[in-house]
Amino acid sequence: MTAVLGGCGLGSGSDEVTLRLVAADYGDSSANGSQKYWDKLVEEYEGTHPGVKVDVSVYSWTDVDREVKELVDDGKAPDMAQIGAYADYADKGLLYKADDLLGIREQADFVSQLASAGRINGVQYGMPFAASTRLLFYNKTLFADAGISAPKTWKQLAADAEALKADGVKYPYALPLGPEEAQAETMQWLLSGGGGYIDSLGTYGIDSEENVDTLTWLKDDLVGKGLTGPVAPASLNRADAFSAFAAGDVGMLNGHPSLMKIAAAKGVKFGMVPMPGAAGETKNSMGVADWMMAFRKNGHAEQVGDFLDFVYSEKNVLAFSREYDLLPVTNSASVAMSGASQDADLKPFLDALPSSELAPVGKTSWATVSAAVKKRIGAAVSADGNPTAVLRELQLTAQRAE
């Protein structure tokens, strides 16, 4: 009887549950770091849930995946992790299924492309948390000075780059194939050439004829003609390319929503159009998603599910997306953003999301393949590079990883 009575009241110390969340930092300064976002959200949640505490630790993208892995390896898995990949943990049976946490209505609210990418064998383990798509950014001032307009095809892109080069533009087209995010730049180009990492059957097709043609065109018609700037693509990282665009030194580059704020802060007048393709606008833009997952170890499914219902409310999804210039991962928040004048600058990215294609994040092999692409793909477009050989090596790496 004493034991039963001692358990009454969620506010009692013995029954209070503390949920631990490890999350990534989306801020670009201390002023808008993600810790501030989570602290505010948790304070509001705890105010109406006296029996639950939520402890959030935020790490940089450089450290967050390693931090979670070390915790899991040490037998101290957090209740939740908001990071870049989920498949390895799901494959090891460490994660709750979304069905164990969220209701049917809440799951159905996820944007379909993002939800699909979070499933393994039809089961939802990765819950999309943040999303973006890619568009071609161009410097309106440099384009006007060169008398050119935004390209719709590769041929037009190359011609524009030639005109920009003749005008003395440092980076006519910035091609960041350095180790920071080469896998993303590569994927956007492969999609624009009618290929991609995965074939129609869902298996790796990295060395397809379409992909070889795409990298050969990049090597011969852009890099080989000196249209990608003074830094070799294999040594140019995305952050440096974005900084060069904000400095007015780049004519065109493939970018995501955060580039808008970076460029606007420096007074750069820019336009955004769908990525040009071999014969016309690319049918499928590249989509990117980061993931929320819940570990089974601590057994707090009910409390985690209730907290995630709060996290994924329309209000909170909109607040996060607006704070960091990202796209909502739920349909309800997407509809709200599409109709809001304050979000007009994100509409081109929102419009691209329904037809976007994500990297094969549901494959446990993807981490190995992505790392290999980052390391090797830049060499394929160098002066003495061999696109066919590099793509074949990457295909073999993928097959071994599978």
Side-chain angles (χ1 to χ4, degrees):
M1 188 67 166
T2 302
V4 172
L5 290 176
C8 290
L10 283 175
S12 65
S14 61
D15 280 63
E16 187 173 86
V17 170
T18 297
L19 302 178
R20 186 175 183 197
L21 166 63
V22 177
D25 193 355
Y26 290 84
D28 54 18
S29 68
S30 58
N32 73 337
S34 292
Q35 189 71 57
K36 290 187 176 182
Y37 169 83
W38 284 110
D39 287 349
K40 181 180 178 182
L41 184 145
V42 166
E43 182 181 8
E44 183 179 348
Y45 180 79
E46 290 179 348
T48 55
H49 296 77
V52 180
K53 296 293 183 183
V54 184
D55 177 18
V56 183
S57 300
V58 174
Y59 296 89
S60 71
W61 276 107
T62 304
D63 300 324
V64 69
D65 288 315
R66 184 182 69 249
E67 181 70 22
V68 172
K69 183 178 184 303
E70 289 177 354
L71 287 170
V72 172
D73 290 347
D74 290 344
K76 301 175 182 178
D79 295 281
M80 295 164 283
Q82 185 274 297
I83 51 178
Y86 68 89
D88 282 349
Y89 298 122
D91 186 59
K92 294 174 183 175
L94 301 178
L95 301 181
Y96 280 116
K97 297 180 290 186
D99 285 342
D100 298 327
L101 308 167
L102 304 176
I104 295 174
R105 183 179 64 181
E106 287 77 17
Q107 290 186 64
D109 197 28
F110 287 132
V111 174
S112 60
Q113 283 86 349
L114 306 179
S116 295
R119 298 186 188 117
I120 296 178
N121 297 324
V123 178
Q124 190 91 44
Y125 291 101
M127 292 163 278
F129 183 77
S132 70
T133 52
R134 302 296 169 94
L135 295 173
L136 182 76
F137 282 68
Y138 65 97
N139 184 311
K140 286 186 173 181
T141 302
L142 297 180
F143 267 58
D145 291 345
I148 54 179
S149 57
K152 295 183 178 180
T153 66
W154 287 356
K155 184 176 180 181
Q156 292 170 0
L157 186 149
D160 284 351
E162 289 277 13
L164 291 165
K165 181 182 179 183
D167 248 16
V169 175
K170 190 173 181 179
Y171 294 89
Y173 180 90
L175 184 65
L177 295 180
E180 181 186 9
E181 207 192 28
Q183 85 288 356
E185 180 74 16
T186 299
M187 182 173 174
Q188 182 60 76
W189 276 101
L190 298 184
L191 290 174
S192 69
Y197 291 122
I198 301 296
D199 62 23
S200 59
L201 299 176
T203 58
Y204 284 108
I206 300 175
D207 60 346
S208 69
E209 182 179 347
E210 294 85 356
N211 291 347
V212 170
D213 288 346
T214 294
L215 287 191
T216 300
W217 186 87
L218 279 174
K219 176 181 181 294
D220 295 342
D221 290 65
L222 277 190
V223 182
K225 294 182 179 179
L227 302 179
T228 53
V231 179
S235 300
L236 182 65
N237 281 323
R238 182 194 66 183
D240 295 328
F242 279 16
S243 295
F245 186 82
D249 292 332
V250 175
M252 299 172 278
L253 83 169
N254 174 18
H256 53 63
S258 67
L259 181 55
M260 294 188 298
K261 183 182 292 185
I262 297 170
K266 296 291 187 178
V268 174
K269 296 179 179 179
F270 59 88
M272 301 176 297
V273 294
M275 186 68 180
E281 291 181 1
T282 302
K283 294 180 180 179
N284 299 103
S285 174
M286 186 188 70
V288 178
D290 300 322
W291 305 96
M292 178 72 76
M293 63 210 71
F295 289 90
R296 299 171 56 189
K297 180 175 177 58
N298 300 320
H300 294 147
E302 181 179 353
Q303 293 87 352
V304 168
D306 189 70
F307 178 66
L308 290 180
D309 281 345
F310 181 73
V311 169
Y312 283 108
S313 67
E314 180 181 316
K315 179 189 76 169
N316 287 326
V317 172
L318 277 173
F320 179 83
S321 301
R322 286 167 172 162
E323 177 66 31
Y324 300 109
D325 285 326
L326 292 164
L327 303 183
V329 297
T330 60
N331 293 309
S332 56
S334 294
V335 170
M337 182 175 276
S338 293
S341 58
Q342 72 183 92
D343 302 311
D345 55 350
L346 283 170
K347 195 171 189 310
F349 296 94
L350 273 171
D351 291 343
L353 187 58
S355 61
S356 65
E357 182 173 325
L358 277 74
V361 292
K363 290 180 175 289
T364 57
S365 58
W366 173 240
T368 298
V369 176
S370 176
V373 172
K374 290 179 182 182
K375 183 177 180 180
R376 302 177 195 170
I377 201 68
V381 299
S382 63
D384 57 351
N386 186 330
T388 301
V390 171
L391 290 175
R392 181 57 183 161
E393 288 174 8
L394 290 171
Q395 176 68 13
L396 292 173
T397 296
Q399 289 173 341
R400 286 193 295 267
E402 279 283 88

